[in-house]
Amino acid sequence: MTGTAPSIVHEQHQSASFHLSTLLRLSVCPHNGETSLHGRYHELAPHLVPMDYTNDPDVKIPLALIVNMPELKENPFRNRIVESFSEDGQGNLSFNDFVDMFSVLSEMAPRELKAIYAFKIYDFNVDNYICKEDLEQTLNRLTKEELTPEEVILVCEKAIEEADLDGDSKLSFADFENMISRAPDFLSTFHIRI
Amino acid sequence: MAGRVGFHSDLITDIESPADEEGVHDSFCQLIEEQSHDHHDAIEMTSLELEEESRDDVMHLESPVYLRVDSEEPQHMECLIGGRWSSDTLKVLSSMPSRTIGRSRGAIISQYYNRTLQLRRRRQSRPSIQHFPRSARPSIRGHRVETDADEYEEDDNKRERLVNNLQNLSANDRVRMLRAMPLSLSEKKELRMLVLNKAEHSLSQNQIPCCSQLKYYIIIAVRHGWYGWLSFLSSLQLWQTALKCVGGHFGTGVLSYFLFLRTLLFFNVFLFLVTALFLVVPQAVVAPDPGRNTSVTSLWGLEVLTGAGYFSDSLMYYGYYSHQTLQPKHSCSKSINGTSCGLSYNMPLVYFFTIGAAFFITCIILVYTMSKSFGQSFRIDKSKGLLAIKVFSSWDYKVSKKSSVRLQRANIGTQLKELVAEVNREELKFSVLTRLFRVFIHMLAWLMCLGSTLACVLAVFYFSEHMHKKDVETRTRTSSSDGVMLKEASLLAVPVLVSCINVILPGFFNAVAWMEEYDSPSVLNYVSISRNLLLKVSVLGVLCHHWLGRVASDPEQLGLQCWESFVGQELYRFLLMDFIFMLLDTFFGEFLWRLFSQKALKRKRKPVFDIARNVLELIYGQTLAWLGVLFSPLLPVVQIIKLLFLFYMKKVSLMMNCQASGKPWRASQMTTIFITLLCFPSFLGASVCVTYTMWTMKPSAGCGPFRGLKTMFQAGKLWVQKLAADNPNLSWLASAHSYLVENPLFLFLCAAIFLIVIYFHSQVVDGQRKIIELLQEQIENEGGDKKFLITRLQDIHERKRVVSPRGVRGASEDSSYS
């Protein structure tokens, strides 16, 4: 590959701009005078989060504070969303995890990445499959009292029947991704603006 | 493991129809027997056994005692499928490569290692020899059940190889790969740092000559500047908060209307920049043409509405533009051949090329947007899996208002109920009479709609003719000052009529559709869009005929010096009236209707925002703007102002008066349809009209940049001929021009090639559809195979435990598991 030397400088700029652009793209959200993602993170827990991040402090905001964000407050899956992006699985997000979350949920994220995290979100018992119980819980959150229990069971069975390709009566990631690839609306609905 | 690899390939090549199961099972029987005696496998299974022996009793499933394998194969398999797996099997299952995607870091890294390798191969960048992988299928090599130490070692190894691959990719690919990886941000940063460090180490080996180094530094600086500019642009997103607010309250459907409005705004801004830069500014800088007549008899106030009077001789219309080569006065110097100046600006040529280039670039942008949107929303195989898709992709994450969330829940619940009911219900047998009745109702509805469209079109046709004749009459009589105001106001008559039709008739269509009682809301959407589209296309067609056929063909009848300016003014009036009527419609249709329905009719729910109708209004306005650019270069400005007003007005009205719709709205499909409608009837029609004008209509002799020429198109031709005359070397250009551009055969040839390419592509899509079906079948077969293998392994494991647990364990204690 030609031109390795100048590509170093280029790379540094590239990587900086890649990171910067991800952050910048997410950072225009005038909200109570704060105009950056870091600002949003800070205002969730002003006493915990320092304004100065040069030393890369190890600060995590607990789940209960994050799900109070206006974008997430009314979302029935808010707990699962935050848990899937946290490292410990309990929902405590560091700033990096916070940026991760909103960059995956933004409109720039590629479809595959969104599918991976959507699978994690809908997998309630975190066993790497979406089994019938997971599906039942998903349905109950989607439609609180609209469906009768028999209808819920019927929908779960039918959905698994439709999407399960390898016949183990639960959805693995491959099944899920295959089904999502046929849903053109997925990219536009799995999207939170910040 | 040669045996294992062979086993695997047998699986793919030898599998036939499921009816052949017996023969297949027989051949595997032997292999499984062989493997069950394999030392390696025994150790693997016993090591598992050592760890979790006690739990086996609980998870142990009922397995009948087997004397002979072959005869009991099918029952055995069915029996085990229903039961639960033992913990060993579960552990093996959970570490299969397909199960660990997105979950364990090791799997992600090896998956992306694979992908970067494929990408490198595709890009044909030669990897260095020492980094060439030994096997392309890590799934064969790496995924045994590992102890912790092994995993760590493998992990590091894999990661190092991934870093090597990333380093050898091009910068763009690398960024895209990194972005797509489902790792956390800190891990991605680490990977990137490793890549950079590696690159630094290999720097000293490659020395580059100094001159090209400078060039590369310049390129890098430019690229950096470009990325910085892009970041800045994307951070400047217009109306970000407003769109978020609308999305949060009303969901993706209504949001798509506002996004479409923003797209149209950008198109108009582009048009404005092009015309302003090349046409308006040069003409404004130069002093106006001395040879024009300036007859301004008008009334203030009405001018903004009619666009005539004071405006008629301004930069706004075609007539103002000079037909000569513009030269700034102070830099001219007289020479022997006549005045020749440093800067000369051939206005007719620039006018022609600017309009042509603007349309061409708009066409390219439109087609690109349309194809991208189409690619995202078109799915070849749509019929299966509707319920699962609905469960997983129908929740709109953008919605953040409590009442909208409640509504969305109700909405999704209803849709799911309907789908489930469809599954359960036996086919409703409509009696023949009911079916005939429904068909009759549909035909009646279509007849009514088409009839009303025809009636309105004829009304516009005859009314415009009547106004035209009246205009002709009044011009033959001497003009008196009393009639001026009436005359000016009468210019507004036809626009008002057309706008009235545009407002009233869609409401009529809605009422007819309500009477028809469509079952599915998407069919209803399509039907209403097509009816509205038909109306607007026919009205625009009649108007074009009126302008080009009546006004342009015989301008002296109306006493017009400049028919192009007149047509430009007409278009301005239409655009303005459209805007005014939209304002009135929003006020009466939404605000007053809400008051009426809440107070008088005592309904709880507010009216619903009609997306399809509003989008078609936008498309109609944009068609008018495109038609008018040739005759009035500043028309995009009017359109921009109109769109800006419309955005805020619609948003305010939406918040106050409307509520989220209870019907499902497929946002991505609808967006594709709107862009397609913008491209095909709207832009295509406008460009056909403009091309026809440029090609065949005779420009007026008294005004405008093309006066004196036979057609506007001749400006280009004359320039080419002049070039050829001045410069004998370029005579080929003139002959090429006459053969290619003017010869219709060339155009037919182009169109034929275009159609052939389209046909080939459609055949490719068909082929891909077939491949998808085959692959689907293959996946299902692989699933069946997997199930079979698991049951057999389970079976062997069970038998081993039953037969001789002591002996096997003893053997394993001596040997070490590598």
Side-chain angles (χ1 to χ4, degrees):
Chain A
M1 204 163 142
T2 55
T4 337
S7 69
I8 309 302
V9 180
H10 177 53
E11 268 324 293
Q12 283 167 348
H13 289 306
Q14 263 279 17
S15 56
S17 65
F18 157 64
H19 194 53
L20 197 63
S21 62
T22 318
L23 285 180
L24 265 181
R25 234 173 264 127
L26 300 174
S27 64
V28 185
C29 35
H31 181 88
N32 292 345
E34 305 266 19
T35 53
S36 70
L37 205 61
H38 182 246
R40 294 299 303 273
Y41 189 67
H42 173 78
E43 78 185 9
L44 285 175
H47 49 283
L48 271 180
V49 176
M51 281 307 288
D52 182 15
Y53 250 73
T54 45
N55 303 329
D56 217 0
D58 184 20
V59 174
K60 295 195 184 210
I61 296 187
L63 178 79
L65 291 176
I66 298 184
V67 296
N68 277 330
M69 286 182 78
E71 289 89 352
L72 291 177
K73 207 155 60 147
E74 299 294 335
N75 196 318
F77 300 106
R78 54 188 178 274
N79 288 332
R80 279 303 304 151
I81 294 175
V82 178
E83 280 166 17
S84 328
F85 284 96
S86 64
E87 265 193 67
D88 53 8
Q90 302 299 320
N92 303 312
L93 295 186
S94 68
F95 182 57
N96 275 339
D97 299 331
F98 188 75
V99 171
D100 251 347
M101 178 165 76
F102 281 106
S103 75
V104 168
L105 287 168
S106 77
E107 51 196 357
M108 306 284 177
R111 175 182 273 264
E112 273 180 9
L113 205 56
K114 289 199 185 219
I116 289 175
Y117 281 100
F119 184 75
K120 285 193 195 181
I121 289 174
Y122 293 127
D123 180 14
F124 281 84
N125 52 10
V126 200
D127 64 347
N128 223 359
Y129 297 103
I130 295 183
C131 54
K132 236 166 98 176
E133 289 78 32
D134 293 332
L135 206 50
E136 274 177 23
Q137 276 208 39
T138 307
L139 265 180
N140 281 329
R141 286 178 196 223
L142 274 182
T143 66
K144 237 182 191 162
E145 280 108 32
E146 299 285 328
L147 300 180
T148 66
E150 296 89 33
E151 281 173 339
V152 168
I153 293 177
L154 194 61
V155 168
C156 291
E157 275 176 10
K158 187 92 198 344
I160 290 189
E161 199 186 297
E162 280 176 355
D164 188 20
L165 287 177
D166 49 10
D168 54 0
S169 71
K170 43 193 173 169
L171 304 183
S172 68
F173 177 68
D175 302 331
F176 183 77
E177 199 183 14
N178 187 26
M179 180 213 16
I180 283 294
S181 69
R182 282 193 252 128
D185 284 327
F186 175 68
L187 278 178
S188 59
T189 54
F190 196 68
H191 166 223
I192 293 186
R193 250 177 217 273
I194 185 162
Chain B
M1 300 288 109
R4 212 187 270 170
V5 170
F7 184 72
H8 197 85
S9 62
D10 273 347
L11 207 66
I12 293 178
T13 53
D14 291 353
I15 193 114
E16 284 149 17
S17 65
D20 219 0
E21 243 177 19
E22 282 302 315
V24 166
H25 285 181
D26 265 335
S27 68
F28 286 166
C29 233
Q30 206 185 9
L31 277 165
I32 291 174
E33 291 300 318
E34 272 175 44
Q35 289 216 336
S36 64
H37 292 308
D38 192 342
H39 190 58
H40 192 88
D41 282 315
I43 288 172
E44 190 177 328
M45 283 206 234
T46 50
S47 72
L48 292 175
E49 202 184 37
L50 277 172
E51 291 166 28
E52 294 173 330
E53 189 199 313
S54 51
R55 286 171 44 196
D56 265 356
D57 300 315
V58 179
M59 306 282 268
H60 187 82
L61 42 83
E62 307 157 359
S63 54
V65 179
Y66 303 102
L67 300 168
R68 282 186 55 212
V69 177
D70 305 72
S71 60
E72 284 165 292
E73 276 304 314
Q75 306 154 344
H76 174 51
M77 198 162 135
E78 281 161 27
C79 201
L80 279 177
I81 288 170
R84 287 190 299 178
W85 309 127
S86 72
S87 55
D88 309 333
T89 322
L90 280 175
K91 188 162 183 192
V92 174
L93 278 181
S94 70
S95 52
M96 278 200 292
S98 62
R99 304 290 193 226
T100 53
I101 292 176
R103 187 61 69 176
S104 86
R105 264 188 42 196
I108 295 174
I109 288 180
S110 69
Q111 183 193 17
Y112 276 88
Y113 163 74
N114 229 7
R115 284 199 190 164
T116 48
L117 196 65
Q118 284 174 11
L119 193 59
R120 268 175 63 189
R121 291 221 177 109
R122 243 187 293 148
R123 299 269 190 262
Q124 285 177 347
S125 59
R126 283 181 52 234
S128 44
I129 302 283
Q130 63 259 39
H131 298 308
F132 206 85
R134 269 162 293 167
S135 157
R137 289 195 67 184
S139 52
I140 292 182
R141 297 189 51 217
H143 285 268
R144 312 184 289 263
V145 176
E146 292 146 341
T147 59
D148 277 328
D150 277 356
E151 208 172 86
Y152 185 70
E153 203 182 65
E154 274 290 322
D155 213 10
D156 245 13
N157 206 5
K158 280 183 239 166
R159 187 204 258 205
E160 172 140 336
R161 277 189 255 142
L162 175 65
V163 166
N164 274 326
N165 273 349
L166 280 177
Q167 189 209 342
N168 283 323
L169 284 176
S170 77
N172 272 336
D173 288 335
R174 187 175 331 160
V175 168
R176 217 176 306 139
M177 270 288 157
L178 277 176
R179 199 182 289 172
M181 281 194 212
L183 297 169
S184 72
L185 209 60
S186 44
E187 285 173 8
K188 285 195 215 184
K189 273 199 271 194
E190 248 182 270
L191 273 176
R192 208 168 47 229
M193 233 168 39
L194 285 173
V195 170
L196 288 183
N197 289 341
K198 268 208 112 66
E200 262 172 31
H201 285 314
S202 56
L203 158 66
S204 50
Q205 291 150 16
N206 303 353
Q207 293 300 331
I208 303 203
C210 68
C211 309
S212 53
Q213 201 175 36
L214 183 66
K215 190 173 80 170
Y216 281 125
Y217 273 117
I218 293 175
I219 293 176
I220 286 160
V222 164
R223 271 188 109 172
H224 178 59
W226 175 246
Y227 284 125
W229 170 249
L230 279 183
S231 311
F232 173 68
L233 263 191
S234 66
S235 71
L236 257 204
Q237 296 247 0
L238 191 59
W239 294 324
Q240 179 89 337
T241 12
L243 289 175
K244 183 175 164 192
C245 196
V246 169
H249 285 233
F250 295 95
T252 318
V254 175
L255 190 64
S256 64
Y257 167 77
F258 288 92
L259 289 174
F260 189 69
L261 210 157
R262 194 172 68 170
T263 318
L264 283 182
L265 188 73
F266 289 147
F267 274 120
N268 284 302
V269 165
F270 163 71
L271 260 183
F272 166 63
L273 285 175
V274 166
T275 55
L277 204 59
F278 292 106
L279 296 181
V280 177
V281 167
Q283 185 66 49
V285 162
V286 173
D289 229 4
R292 282 171 327 133
N293 338 352
T294 47
S295 56
V296 184
T297 53
S298 63
L299 283 161
W300 258 112
L302 212 55
E303 260 156 6
V304 179
L305 282 183
T306 60
Y310 181 70
F311 283 130
S312 59
D313 249 343
S314 62
L315 272 173
M316 199 157 148
Y317 296 112
Y318 170 96
Y320 186 82
Y321 292 83
S322 148
H323 66 293
Q324 294 156 338
T325 310
L326 295 177
Q327 286 157 357
K329 276 187 266 188
H330 48 271
S331 71
C332 272
S333 59
K334 286 228 169 4
S335 73
I336 306 170
N337 297 343
T339 52
S340 64
C341 303
L343 284 171
S344 72
Y345 200 76
N346 191 346
M347 197 62 184
L349 192 69
V350 170
Y351 201 97
F352 176 70
F353 277 130
T354 307
I355 301 287
F359 268 84
F360 185 65
I361 295 177
T362 311
C363 179
I364 291 179
I365 297 176
L366 259 181
V367 169
Y368 174 72
T369 318
M370 188 177 76
S371 57
K372 213 161 63 129
S373 170
F374 196 67
Q376 275 181 358
S377 74
F378 178 70
R379 290 289 172 258
I380 294 178
D381 175 28
K382 265 186 111 63
S383 53
K384 298 193 284 186
L386 286 176
L387 194 65
I389 289 175
K390 191 137 287 214
V391 170
F392 287 116
S393 71
S394 57
W395 182 266
D396 193 351
Y397 280 63
K398 282 197 274 288
V399 176
S400 58
K401 190 168 160 229
K402 203 172 187 132
S403 53
S404 307
V405 163
R406 222 180 308 140
L407 205 64
Q408 209 188 146
R409 277 205 168 111
N411 190 7
I412 294 179
T414 321
Q415 288 174 51
L416 286 174
K417 269 200 217 227
E418 277 173 22
L419 277 176
V420 160
E422 246 179 58
V423 164
N424 275 347
R425 162 182 74 182
E426 286 107 32
E427 271 202 5
L428 269 186
K429 297 254 187 233
F430 280 127
S431 67
V432 180
L433 205 61
T434 327
R435 241 183 291 167
L436 265 184
F437 183 64
R438 289 182 75 82
V439 168
F440 175 68
I441 291 278
H442 283 311
M443 280 185 58
L444 182 67
W446 270 104
L447 219 65
M448 281 165 71
C449 293
L450 288 176
S452 53
T453 309
L454 195 65
C456 292
V457 163
L458 285 174
V460 171
F461 184 72
Y462 285 118
F463 188 65
S464 61
E465 203 177 310
H466 168 75
M467 295 303 297
H468 184 81
K469 287 209 184 99
K470 228 174 85 167
D471 222 4
V472 168
E473 277 172 22
T474 52
R475 277 189 206 271
T476 52
R477 286 191 261 121
T478 51
S479 58
S480 58
S481 56
D482 326 308
V484 167
M485 178 147 176
L486 202 61
K487 202 161 81 97
E488 298 275 315
S490 69
L491 287 172
L492 291 174
V494 180
V496 166
L497 174 70
V498 170
S499 297
C500 274
I501 290 177
N502 273 332
V503 166
I504 294 176
L505 230 57
F508 175 67
F509 292 154
N510 273 347
V512 168
W514 174 79
M515 175 193 86
E516 280 180 273
E517 285 174 1
Y518 280 103
D519 287 329
S520 84
S522 56
V523 172
L524 176 62
N525 259 332
Y526 289 139
V527 164
S528 90
I529 287 178
S530 50
R531 284 177 184 161
N532 279 315
L533 193 67
L534 214 58
L535 171 71
K536 291 191 156 59
V537 164
S538 16
V539 165
L540 275 175
V542 162
L543 288 172
C544 281
H545 171 260
H546 169 69
W547 290 321
L548 295 180
R550 280 195 213 125
V551 174
S553 55
D554 202 0
E556 279 82 37
Q557 249 194 348
L558 282 174
L560 285 173
Q561 286 276 351
C562 211
W563 64 265
E564 293 97 345
S565 288
F566 181 72
V567 173
Q569 285 166 14
E570 286 268 285
L571 279 162
Y572 171 81
R573 287 191 280 266
F574 271 86
L575 211 58
L576 205 63
M577 278 298 129
D578 188 42
F579 177 52
I580 291 176
F581 270 79
M582 263 209 256
L583 278 173
L584 290 175
D585 181 37
T586 311
F587 185 69
F588 285 110
E590 293 175 12
F591 179 59
L592 287 184
W593 179 250
R594 168 181 74 101
L595 285 179
F596 179 66
S597 73
Q598 284 192 330
K599 304 276 166 56
L601 300 180
K602 301 278 189 236
R603 269 193 239 160
K604 281 261 160 103
R605 301 173 78 120
K606 297 190 201 167
V608 167
F609 187 75
D610 192 347
I611 304 173
R613 180 174 159 180
N614 282 293
V615 169
L616 283 175
E617 288 278 324
L618 283 179
I619 294 179
Y620 171 74
Q622 188 59 36
T623 317
L624 288 176
W626 275 329
L627 276 173
V629 163
L630 175 65
F631 304 111
S632 163
L634 281 180
L635 207 61
V637 177
V638 178
Q639 179 77 345
I640 288 173
I641 296 174
K642 172 181 155 195
L643 286 175
L644 284 172
F645 260 118
L646 210 60
F647 183 87
Y648 290 108
M649 194 187 70
K650 284 281 174 188
K651 176 169 166 285
V652 165
S653 157
L654 193 70
M655 292 299 179
M656 270 185 16
N657 304 329
C658 298
Q659 64 166 22
S661 158
K663 290 188 262 172
W665 177 265
R666 278 129 151 236
S668 65
Q669 238 186 3
M670 282 295 143
T671 314
T672 313
I673 288 180
F674 294 146
I675 295 267
T676 314
L677 287 179
L678 188 67
C679 190
F680 280 125
S682 165
F683 181 74
L684 196 67
S687 48
V688 161
C689 240
V690 166
T691 314
Y692 178 75
T693 310
M694 281 189 163
W695 208 291
T696 50
M697 307 251 64
K698 183 170 178 341
S700 39
C703 66
F706 299 111
R707 59 191 101 165
L709 298 173
K710 240 187 6 192
T711 63
M712 297 187 195
F713 190 66
Q714 270 205 336
K717 191 166 154 200
L718 282 176
W719 175 67
V720 167
Q721 283 176 352
K722 186 159 160 285
L723 258 188
D726 285 345
N727 232 344
N729 297 340
L730 291 177
S731 58
W732 59 269
L733 194 65
S735 45
H737 186 265
S738 62
Y739 276 128
L740 288 180
V741 181
E742 296 184 7
N743 200 352
L745 183 65
F746 178 69
L747 295 173
F748 280 135
L749 218 63
C750 280
I753 293 177
F754 202 51
L755 285 173
I756 290 176
V757 166
I758 292 178
Y759 176 71
F760 272 135
H761 277 258
S762 75
Q763 289 300 308
V764 165
V765 165
D766 264 344
Q768 285 177 345
R769 193 177 296 145
K770 291 202 189 86
I771 290 180
I772 288 177
E773 282 174 18
L774 284 175
L775 284 175
Q776 198 102 352
E777 215 183 284
Q778 191 174 346
I779 293 177
E780 284 168 15
N781 286 336
E782 298 266 342
D785 293 336
K786 221 191 303 188
K787 251 194 305 188
F788 172 72
L789 288 173
I790 292 169
T791 57
R792 293 315 306 270
L793 285 173
Q794 179 76 22
D795 175 40
I796 291 168
H797 177 65
E798 288 303 317
R799 270 188 281 148
K800 278 181 118 40
R801 269 179 43 88
V802 169
V803 171
S804 56
R806 277 289 146 199
V808 177
R809 212 181 299 148
S812 73
E813 272 165 8
D814 300 343
S815 55
S816 59
Y817 174 67
S818 62

